[in-house]
Amino acid sequence: MNQTTNPASTQAENPSASSGPLDINQIQAILPHRYPLLLIDRVLEIERKKKIVAIKNVTINEPFFAGHFPGFPVMPGVLIVEAMAQAGGALLLTEVEDRRGKVIFFTGIERAKFRRPVVPGDQLRLEVEMLVWKEIGTAIAVRIGGQAFVDGKRVCEATLSCQLVDRPKDQP
């Protein structure tokens, strides 16, 4: 059975659906990602099935800076988009009881725009809004709109699609 919900109507049904902040231990209890690919450090706010605001502290210790670019370290744009996706994944996975039995896959990246470089010392503020939530059998497909800011200035934006599916039984 297919079920599409309007994320905006969820808040009307449950006005106290806001929570946060979440620290790194709580984030790791939700997301399967680990160093060096865990790209959110803190969640400031969550509104169930509606939006999430997270932080990524960008430091020179990040392994990708060794090669991107020597003498001029710039965070790869694809990792900024991945950080937005992880924030959206945290929003999605907070609604799932059996998180360990699921995995999230990107199904699309649209309208990605990069406005300025992100460098060591920056703090990314990731604001992700749920645009579509669709249940298809045991899978959930979502579409999210993400924006990343440094010092109040937008550095990246994109529309992302992903699907939450059952993890293969032979995988840990």
Side-chain angles (χ1 to χ4, degrees):
M1 179 169 117
N2 291 354
Q3 178 185 354
T4 303
T5 61
N6 177 353
S9 68
T10 305
Q11 177 131 2
E13 296 166 13
N14 187 357
S16 64
S18 195
S19 69
L22 301 177
D23 66 24
I24 192 64
N25 294 318
Q26 293 166 308
I27 292 167
Q28 287 183 319
I30 297 167
L31 290 177
H33 304 78
R34 294 297 179 265
Y35 178 85
L37 207 57
L38 179 58
L39 297 174
I40 60 174
D41 297 316
R42 186 163 189 78
V43 172
L44 302 177
E45 175 186 342
I46 297 178
E47 289 183 49
R48 290 187 62 203
K49 289 188 177 180
K50 186 173 180 185
K51 81 172 195 176
I52 188 168
V53 178
I55 296 294
K56 164 64 178 151
N57 295 307
V58 181
T59 70
I60 193 63
N61 301 359
E62 311 280 355
F64 50 81
F65 284 135
H68 199 268
F69 299 101
F72 182 57
V74 175
M75 184 174 185
V78 68
L79 294 180
I80 299 169
V81 172
E82 174 66 22
M84 288 189 293
Q86 287 182 21
L91 179 62
L92 170 58
L93 287 170
T94 57
E95 299 297 321
V96 176
E97 288 182 31
D98 179 25
R99 291 190 275 261
R100 295 200 189 281
K102 304 290 185 183
V103 65
I104 300 174
F105 290 114
F106 263 130
T107 56
I109 302 171
E110 302 170 41
R111 293 185 283 282
K113 292 185 179 152
F114 304 94
R115 308 219 176 259
R116 80 164 191 82
V118 174
V119 298
D122 285 346
Q123 184 180 69
L124 281 175
R125 179 183 171 95
L126 306 159
E127 299 182 5
V128 176
E129 174 185 16
M130 188 69 63
L131 303 173
V132 174
W133 178 289
K134 186 174 184 180
E135 296 181 26
I136 309 162
T138 61
I140 299 172
V142 299
R143 188 173 169 87
I144 58 176
Q147 298 184 82
F149 298 87
V150 172
D151 295 329
K153 295 178 183 163
R154 187 171 41 209
V155 297
C156 179
E157 61 192 84
T159 301
L160 311 172
S161 302
C162 65
Q163 190 166 3
L164 181 72
V165 298
D166 291 328
R167 184 180 293 270
K169 299 297 181 201
D170 60 346
Q171 297 295 310

